[in-house]
Amino acid sequence: MPTLCVTQITSWGIVYYAFPVLNPQITTATGWPAGATAAAFSAALLVSAVAGIRVGRIIDRHGPRTVMTMGSVVGVLSILIVASAPNLPVFIAGWLLAGLAMAGTFYQPAFAALTRWWAPDHVRALTIVTLAGGLASTVFAPLTAALADHLSWRAAYAALALVLAVVTIPAHAFALRAPWPEPQISTAPPTSGGTGQVARTRPFWMLAATLTLSAFTVSAAIIALVPLMAERGYTSTQAAWALGLGGAGQTLGRTLYATLARHTSPTSRTVTLVALGALTTAALALTPGPYALLVALSVAAGTVRGNLTLLQATAVTDRWGTTHYGRISGLLAAPATTAAAIAPFAGAVLVAPLGGYPQLFIALAAVSTAACITALKTTPAKVASSQS
């Protein structure tokens, strides 16, 4: 577990959170359109969504060690390609490769590993690792901004790639060597008919829709927070700190999830957390300042994001058990990750016709509100009958 804590911070911090900090410098230095660079990042997330289904199946059968080690190697190579890209097509190719690294190193493979290794106490294990992962932006957004103040964006990415190599490759290769256990019998409702039958049920599709709409809002808001604050006259360093402290909010939120899970049903906490996501997104849209209040709202939004991460991590076991966790979770995560992939590009395209970043955040809050409606229909029939 300590290994995954460290590698989640490092992988998310470098492969994901460095981009929104460096992207303004990338577009200024290269002349590449912001929409094009955002599209490259979106493409990486899309590749991650598709590859994640296969990754889940491999981990179910063989465990996480090989997948996560190779994911780290690919991650280092992809960031080096991005850093040295002489033109936009090579830059895009680097991010497409980074998508494979995301599928092999981000939360989905870590969640599959923890759910099997730590069952039935997997919620505690998931909470601890995501508590650490929530610090990724807190550590790496300000660090990336500091590197960008003294280095070119290319040199900053090269330095971050070195950190990624030193920290994550040996950690995944040598620490994830525990025997891969057989899945334990779950106390959740049985998944009669297996993965295919679960994936054809209405609650599965409603849950997928809820997580997809919510992921779109979260991803777009994270990438758009820095330009939102720049539009309001704040410096890139101030914006990076607001983004980073939002990561601290994620850590805070995850300390609360176990208590929330004990006192709420899966459906009620899904509705509540998605509604809070809509509220904090709207608040960021409607609040021009002062800076301290914007930081507080970023922390509040991060608190909600932290809970949403654990909500997705436990959604399968809460409803259908652990037997096919990797496969069902991969299917559930694919549309959500696809939405998260599209969101940065969609935000960059929509901001002009909408009239600015505050209006974009209002639109994102509306998307989260729609997710609240679908969340009401995410209770499987067997769970509903057992609670009635």
Side-chain angles (χ1 to χ4, degrees), residues 237-259:
T237 299
Q238 287 175 313
W241 273 105
L243 178 64
L245 290 172
Q250 290 181 191
T251 299
L252 171 65
R254 288 161 186 166
T255 65
L256 307 174
Y257 186 80
T259 300

Side-chain angles (χ1 to χ4, degrees), residues 64 117 175-181:
W117 269 329
L176 302 182
R177 303 175 70 176
W180 190 234

Side-chain angles (χ1 to χ4, degrees), residues 64-76:
R65 183 188 178 201
T66 300
V67 166
M68 299 193 78
T69 302
M70 290 305 300
S72 292
V73 172
V74 172
V76 172

Side-chain angles (χ1 to χ4, degrees), residues 84-374:
S84 60
N87 51 50
L88 187 57
V90 176
F91 183 83
I92 294 171
W95 279 112
L96 293 175
L97 191 62
L100 296 177
M102 293 176 183
T105 59
F106 278 11
Y107 279 142
Q108 284 306 122
F111 288 164
L114 292 168
T115 298
R116 183 75 67 87
W117 269 329
W118 287 82
D121 194 25
H122 57 278
V123 173
R124 175 175 170 270
L126 293 169
T127 300
I128 292 172
V129 170
T130 54
L131 281 174
L135 296 174
S137 63
T138 307
V139 174
F140 281 96
L143 175 60
T144 303
L147 288 172
D149 285 341
H150 298 89
L151 302 171
S152 70
W153 70 269
R154 296 181 187 277
Y157 256 141
L160 291 172
L162 177 62
V163 174
L164 187 67
V166 170
V167 173
T168 66
I169 294 174
H172 287 148
F174 296 109
L176 302 182
R177 303 175 70 176
W180 190 234
E182 293 296 321
Q184 294 190 9
I185 297 174
S186 174
T187 58
T191 56
S192 59
T195 305
Q197 182 169 330
V198 169
R200 289 191 293 269
T201 63
R202 185 185 183 191
F204 178 89
W205 284 105
M206 290 297 99
L207 181 60
T210 300
L211 296 177
T212 297
L213 293 170
S214 180
F216 183 92
T217 297
V218 168
S219 180
I222 288 174
I223 301 301
L225 180 62
V226 172
L228 171 72
M229 296 191 65
E231 188 174 289
R232 288 171 168 166
Y234 297 100
T235 68
S236 59
T237 299
Q238 287 175 313
W241 273 105
L243 178 64
L245 290 172
Q250 290 181 191
T251 299
L252 171 65
R254 288 161 186 166
T255 65
L256 307 174
Y257 186 80
T259 300
L260 181 66
R262 284 195 297 270
H263 293 91
T264 58
S265 68
T267 299
S268 64
R269 66 176 168 271
T270 301
V271 174
T272 299
L273 290 172
V274 173
L276 288 173
L279 182 63
T280 54
T281 303
L284 284 166
L286 298 173
T287 306
Y291 178 70
L293 180 56
L294 284 170
V295 169
L297 289 173
S298 180
V299 172
T303 301
V304 177
R305 289 199 307 271
N307 278 280
L308 285 170
T309 301
L310 283 169
L311 180 76
Q312 181 171 341
T314 58
V316 172
T317 50
D318 284 343
R319 293 167 173 83
W320 299 291
T322 63
T323 303
H324 303 292
Y325 178 90
R327 297 181 186 183
I328 297 174
S329 181
L331 290 171
L332 192 64
T337 308
T338 300
I342 296 169
F345 174 69
V349 170
L350 291 173
V351 68
L354 287 174
Y357 282 95
Q359 292 83 353
L360 174 63
F361 272 67
I362 287 291
L364 294 175
V367 173
S368 276
T369 301
C372 292
I373 299 172
T374 59

